[in-house]
Amino acid sequence: MTDAAWESLSNQAVAACGLVYFLALLAHLVEWASLRKVPVGAVATSVAAEDVPGGIAIATGPDDVGTDEATARRTAMFGRLGYLLTCIGVGIQLVALVARGMAADPNRVPWGNMYEFTLTGTFVVAFLYVLLYHRLHLAWMAPVVLVFVLAVLMIAVTWLYAPVAPLTEALSSYWLVIHVVSAIIATGAFTLGGITSALYLVKVRRPDTTTGYVARLPKPEVLDRVSYRLHAFGFPVWTFAVLITGPIWAHQAWSSYWNWDPKEVWAFITWVVYAAYLHARTTAGWKGRNAAILALVGMATLWFNFIGINYFSTTSQHSYASGAGALVSPVDR
């Protein structure tokens, strides 16, 4: 295949994965809409609790067991369909990333500009959700994750798209792969943790709700625990990316471990916020609302560093948001 054909395949795969994610979102919306007026209660006669959102099944009474079982089965079917479509969307998005890298001459990793970084970031968020779906029982997170991924993909396609271009010399390093892979994995984990923290705050503000989406979220203490586990996983990976591989790569590219570059500074600020979050939880016993707010502050600094700093700073060496050009220093340009 020619480079143009690979780039066309990548663009088509991005459009296809966006469509599949949208269909997955519709399936999950039908799933949750089926339960909007059904009280949370005991498990229906022949429907397992894990087959309904949040592991909470539908109340059944002696006169309406058949109706509730039918609702539970329909809900479980659309939930499984939504998850399957999300898995398919993740696979198609991986094809888009691989094709994007193959479109360059020479072939490269698909991290040469802000469009490609954003495409990779949304892929990791969706992939981690799919990977942890059963382990952490994340059925309740599906609509929010899909809305987030679709919104960011739309921003990427509409405002951040850039043609495929070769990497500059500064990016032609295996340290790029190590640094970016670890940073994006941590970004995915922190994003899922931030979503969980936001849902925790919603849940504690409406503790007496018996129907609808909020009622079927896990208990606040469960949301708090899931958020902590996601952040505890992401933090050492982010530490590795920001404090180890980042400086090594910077020294190799620009002969300096630290340049007070705005992106470096904001990455360190993000590290400090998440370090404070984990430290407060383990030593001061911070849980619940205060921890959730601090986690959201961390997520705000994370995504500002990921996207915003490229538009508010004119001095950053990390200037890959400015079109087809890659991550180059002002001198190199």
Side-chain angles (χ1 to χ4, degrees), residues 246-260 264 317:
I248 293 175
W249 179 30
H251 184 267
Q252 184 182 78
W254 301 304
S255 302
S256 175
Y257 289 105
W258 186 265
N259 299 292
W260 292 103
E264 293 176 347
Q317 291 174 302

Side-chain angles (χ1 to χ4, degrees), residues 182-313:
S182 53
I184 291 183
I185 289 175
T187 297
F190 286 152
T191 300
L192 292 180
I195 290 173
T196 307
S197 295
L199 293 176
Y200 169 88
L201 293 175
V202 173
K203 181 73 172 180
V204 295
R205 286 182 63 86
R206 301 175 59 187
D208 299 326
T209 303
T210 59
T211 59
Y213 177 73
V214 176
R216 295 187 181 278
L217 290 175
K219 296 179 180 179
E221 55 269 24
V222 175
L223 292 171
D224 186 57
R225 184 169 62 250
V226 170
S227 177
Y228 173 73
R229 291 177 67 180
L230 288 167
H231 286 102
F233 165 76
F235 182 73
V237 182
W238 184 255
T239 301
F240 178 72
V242 171
L243 301 184
I244 300 177
T245 61
I248 293 175
W249 179 30
H251 184 267
Q252 184 182 78
W254 301 304
S255 302
S256 175
Y257 289 105
W258 186 265
N259 299 292
W260 292 103
D261 181 89
K263 207 166 185 69
E264 293 176 347
V265 173
W266 274 95
F268 183 70
I269 290 173
T270 301
W271 182 88
V272 170
V273 173
Y274 282 122
Y277 166 84
L278 294 173
H279 179 74
R281 285 197 61 120
T282 55
T283 61
W286 262 28
K287 293 183 180 181
R289 184 174 181 273
N290 290 336
I293 291 174
L294 190 55
L296 290 177
V297 171
M299 184 176 172
T301 63
L302 175 76
W303 279 93
F304 177 76
N305 179 57
F306 190 72
I307 295 178
I309 197 67
N310 300 285
Y311 296 97
F312 291 99
S313 173

Side-chain angles (χ1 to χ4, degrees), residues 122-193:
T122 53
F123 166 77
V124 172
V125 170
F127 175 73
L128 285 180
Y129 161 75
V130 166
L131 189 66
L132 299 174
Y133 180 88
H134 292 293
R135 182 177 180 83
L136 298 181
H137 307 290
L138 298 182
W140 45 271
M141 192 186 284
V144 184
V145 169
L146 287 169
V147 168
F148 175 85
V149 170
L150 280 170
V152 177
L153 273 178
M154 188 177 299
I155 292 171
V157 172
T158 305
W159 288 297
L160 302 179
Y161 181 82
V164 176
L167 292 179
T168 61
E169 183 178 353
L171 282 177
S172 300
S173 168
Y174 61 88
W175 284 108
L176 166 71
V177 179
I178 300 172
H179 171 68
V180 174
V181 166
S182 53
I184 291 183
I185 289 175
T187 297
F190 286 152
T191 300
L192 292 180

